[in-house]
Amino acid sequence: MAKSPNTASKSKAAPKAQPEVHAPEAATKMLDDGMEKFTDMATKFGSFAEDSMKTATERAAASTEVMRTLSTRNMDFFTRTLEQGAEATQAMTSAKDPRKVMEIQSGFAKSLMSAYTSELNAQAELCMLAWRDAAKPFTAWASK
């Protein structure tokens, strides 16, 4: 009897070898790697935040010191000029000649302007030094 195509013996294909899948172990390894990367990132961020706070604290202390120095210099300058102004006023009121009054007033104005310019330059230099000092962490950070 002839075999019909429907009844022909079908050859069974050999089953393909499936690789062993260890899903729980692979997932655990992925989670461990992810946690290690996250921990590394958190450590770096924590270090950055700590360094930033330390630098900010140092800069705040330095700026407070600069402001204290500037305030002291301003008060000293104000006191000196007030005393010199009182002396000049006394000298002008005791002068009998208008030319002498003009000389005293002119000398006081020149002296005051010279002292003001010198003090302004000194304080500007203090501010520039403070700015340079404050910029050091940023220039060091930018060069990394």
Side-chain angles (χ1 to χ4, degrees):
M1 184 167 156
K3 292 185 179 179
S4 70
N6 292 341
T7 59
S9 67
K10 295 180 182 175
S11 61
K12 292 185 179 181
K16 293 182 180 177
Q18 296 272 338
E20 284 191 36
V21 177
H22 299 287
E25 292 158 359
T28 301
K29 183 176 180 346
M30 285 175 36
L31 283 172
D32 287 345
D33 291 345
M35 286 304 292
E36 186 176 318
K37 288 177 182 177
F38 179 75
T39 303
D40 185 44
M41 181 185 70
T43 301
K44 287 178 182 176
F45 181 75
S47 175
F48 175 74
E50 183 179 344
D51 291 346
S52 296
M53 287 303 294
K54 181 180 174 187
T55 301
T57 303
E58 290 171 357
R59 296 300 107 212
S63 67
T64 301
E65 188 60 35
V66 168
M67 292 305 291
R68 185 177 298 130
T69 301
L70 290 174
S71 297
T72 302
R73 290 184 69 101
N74 283 332
M75 285 306 295
D76 290 344
F77 181 76
F78 176 71
T79 303
R80 278 193 319 263
T81 56
L82 204 58
E83 291 169 352
Q84 291 170 356
E87 290 170 4
T89 302
Q90 284 178 346
M92 285 188 287
T93 55
S94 65
K96 305 285 184 211
D97 185 20
R99 281 186 232 149
K100 183 68 174 169
V101 172
M102 292 302 288
E103 286 176 22
I104 294 169
Q105 186 179 19
S106 176
F108 173 70
K110 287 179 184 176
S111 170
L112 185 61
M113 202 56 179
S114 176
Y116 178 74
T117 304
S118 295
E119 186 61 28
L120 191 62
N121 286 335
Q123 288 190 24
E125 184 63 30
L126 282 173
C127 290
M128 287 305 295
L129 290 173
W131 275 106
R132 286 183 189 130
D133 190 42
K136 284 179 184 176
F138 299 109
T139 55
W141 180 73
S143 65
K144 287 184 182 179

